[in-house]
Amino acid sequence: MRFLDEDEANDPMLSVVNLIDLFLVIIGMLMVAIAQNPLNPYSRDKVVVVENPGQADMRITIKDGQELTRYESSGELGQGQGARAGVTYRLEDGRMIYVPED
């Protein structure tokens, strides 16, 4: 009987099981911390996220309440009806100035 008690005390599988439990607790705590982070963009009601701006594979995700809408760029130039609203100029220091037309 004494040999059975010694085997249970030195069983390496018990250490592995304890480590797995510890990692599960740590992962759960990290997930709660991420979900409650005030910098999380999806914690607000209205959010616009732009991925890869200016690239051919640009994506825009809009969250309005519980509704998520995703727009993906096809890489083609857009067309439509409209009128010229004004002219934009870039200054030497990099600022942009918009001048509306009458």
Side-chain angles (χ1 to χ4, degrees):
M1 290 294 208
R2 194 155 118 199
F3 294 115
L4 292 176
D5 292 337
E6 289 177 8
D7 286 341
E8 288 180 12
N10 295 328
D11 189 12
M13 286 304 290
L14 291 177
S15 299
V16 172
V17 170
N18 287 338
L19 283 176
I20 291 172
D21 290 341
L22 177 68
F23 287 133
L24 287 175
V25 169
I26 291 173
I27 289 171
M29 290 171 50
L30 287 174
M31 290 179 67
V32 168
I34 289 171
Q36 293 181 349
N37 186 358
L39 298 177
N40 183 2
Y42 292 106
S43 65
R44 299 185 189 108
D45 285 338
K46 293 186 179 186
V47 177
V48 177
V49 178
V50 179
E51 300 173 31
N52 304 325
Q55 304 295 324
D57 60 342
M58 182 173 78
R59 278 182 262 155
I60 300 174
T61 305
I62 300 172
K63 178 187 175 201
D64 190 10
Q66 293 293 325
E67 181 180 339
L68 281 176
T69 307
R70 175 173 278 186
Y71 299 100
E72 295 190 21
S73 172
S74 63
E76 299 176 5
L77 292 176
Q79 294 185 35
Q81 298 177 355
R84 184 174 168 165
V87 181
T88 304
Y89 297 98
R90 181 184 305 268
L91 299 177
E92 291 178 359
D93 62 357
R95 291 184 296 159
M96 303 285 282
I97 294 180
Y98 169 71
V99 180
E101 290 183 348
D102 293 329

